[in-house]
Amino acid sequence: MGVLRRAADFVGSWFALLVLLGGVVGMLLPGATSTLSPAITPLLGLIMFGMGLTLRARDFSLVLRRPWAVLIGLVAQYLVMPLAGWAIGSAFGFSAALLAGMVLVGSTPGGTASNVVVYLSRGHVALSVTMTSVSTLLAPLLTPLLVLWLAGSSLPVDFLGLFWSIVKVVLIPVVLGIAIRAALPGLVERVLPLLPLVSVLGIVVVVAAVVGANASTLASVGALLLLAVVLHNAFGLLLGYGAARLAGLDEASRRAIGVEVGMQNSGLAASLATAHFTPLAALPAALFSVWHNLSGAAVASFWSRRPSGSETPDTDTAEPARG
């Protein structure tokens, strides 16, 4: 256990660089890494099960105690990023597959790594965990609806197929994880420190597989697509923070919502794109997975040096989900 815990701490600390390394390996060894594509969906289910193990019933209590803050965050999450993905993809003249990929990244719930970034940013951790949890539970309905609305005119969208994929890969594993933690809290507490080993390595494999399957395309459109992904992430961070500020929320809550909106569950987007569209549609998600962890580290470094000025007792009522 000691060796595994040290390994988990290592991959958790170097998450962004390991994901970047996965992308580099995908480019250098496209033949080998592309064969990993069938593992994307099972890996994501395992990652989401791990996310469920980090959650407790009290992580949802903020919905009742501060419904306005949670509502503002969720509305921003499911409006800013899908619309920004569609607008950027359209402005750049992307193909139907890449446009669908941009919309899909924007229409997924928040990523669990966002909780750690909010914690390091001195933001409202409980609000971050609540937003990640609730947006994940809403994903089976909202993600297919948003993709159908924004990308359905350029590419056939199987609403029911997307819905059931998210139920099987996200909702069931997360709920199962929550139930197991409630039933066996002592056992789960001992396992929790090892979860980054699964989630980080899982995302690295997903990125390597997607990049490997699209290595030739990435070589020709990589710079433009990377710029699109950087802008997408930046719009999410800035507009999420701005929406919270316009709503009159405190600084700690603004930081939490900004990070939650800007950081997406790109692994889910890659899995859905691979299963329901084309490997090309998964490419924005793979690049987003690399970039949003690098930008998240930069944002955390910037905000960690500036007091939020309004930390509340709620900030410490939930632990950041790792990975």
Side-chain angles (χ1 to χ4, degrees), residues 38-85:
I40 291 177
T41 298
L43 278 173
L44 181 65
L46 185 61
I47 291 168
M48 298 313 297
F49 173 70
M51 175 185 170
L53 290 177
T54 70
L55 300 177
R56 293 162 293 189
R58 75 182 192 184
D59 294 334
F60 298 89
S61 64
L62 202 65
V63 176
L64 300 177
R65 290 186 284 116
R66 295 192 63 190
W68 178 240
V70 176
L71 180 62
I72 290 297
L74 291 174
V75 170
Q77 172 82 53
Y78 278 117
L79 276 183
V80 168
M81 290 302 277
L83 290 172

Side-chain angles (χ1 to χ4, degrees), residues 18 38 54 61-62 76 98 113 166 197 216 234 260 284 309 323:
L18 287 171
T54 70
S61 64
L62 202 65
L98 284 178
I166 300 173
L197 200 58
S216 59
E260 280 295 320

Side-chain angles (χ1 to χ4, degrees), residues 27 214-225 280 283:
M27 282 295 292
N214 296 279
S216 59
T217 304
L218 186 58
S220 59
V221 302
L224 186 62
L225 185 56
L280 182 61
L283 199 48

Side-chain angles (χ1 to χ4, degrees), residues 50-149:
M51 175 185 170
L53 290 177
T54 70
L55 300 177
R56 293 162 293 189
R58 75 182 192 184
D59 294 334
F60 298 89
S61 64
L62 202 65
V63 176
L64 300 177
R65 290 186 284 116
R66 295 192 63 190
W68 178 240
V70 176
L71 180 62
I72 290 297
L74 291 174
V75 170
Q77 172 82 53
Y78 278 117
L79 276 183
V80 168
M81 290 302 277
L83 290 172
W86 175 83
I88 294 169
S90 298
F92 282 27
F94 284 161
S95 66
L98 284 178
L99 178 62
M102 292 289 294
V103 170
L104 193 50
V105 170
S107 302
T108 54
T112 55
S114 61
N115 305 151
V116 179
V117 172
V118 170
Y119 173 75
L120 296 174
S121 300
R122 305 177 73 172
H124 200 308
V125 178
L127 177 58
S128 173
V129 172
T130 301
M131 280 187 60
T132 300
S133 307
V134 176
S135 66
T136 298
L137 295 180
L138 292 173
L141 179 62
L142 294 184
T143 298
L145 279 175
L146 290 165
V147 175
L148 181 63
W149 172 39

Side-chain angles (χ1 to χ4, degrees), residues 163-307:
F163 173 82
W164 286 117
S165 287
I166 300 173
V167 167
K168 290 184 290 186
V169 177
V170 176
L171 190 60
I172 291 175
V174 167
V175 171
L176 184 61
I178 294 172
I180 290 178
R181 180 163 189 177
L184 303 168
L187 176 62
V188 172
E189 288 293 335
R190 292 195 294 271
V191 172
L192 282 179
L194 305 180
L195 288 183
L197 200 58
V198 177
S199 57
V200 173
L201 295 180
I203 291 296
V204 170
V205 171
V206 169
V207 169
V210 172
V211 170
N214 296 279
S216 59
T217 304
L218 186 58
S220 59
V221 302
L224 186 62
L225 185 56
L226 178 59
L227 176 59
V229 165
V230 170
L231 290 175
H232 196 187
N233 174 239
F235 284 158
L237 293 169
L238 294 173
L239 294 179
Y241 181 92
R245 183 174 183 178
L246 286 174
L249 300 182
D250 56 77
E251 176 64 19
S253 297
R254 295 175 194 173
R255 294 181 184 185
I257 291 175
V259 170
E260 280 295 320
V261 174
M263 297 187 71
Q264 300 293 91
N265 191 334
S266 47
L268 173 60
S271 173
L272 294 174
T274 302
H276 295 279
F277 298 111
T278 66
L280 182 61
L283 199 48
L287 292 181
F288 200 97
S289 185
V290 176
W291 175 254
H292 82 159
N293 285 295
L294 295 174
S295 68
V299 166
S301 178
F302 175 80
W303 268 333
S304 65
R305 296 176 174 84
R306 292 161 176 78

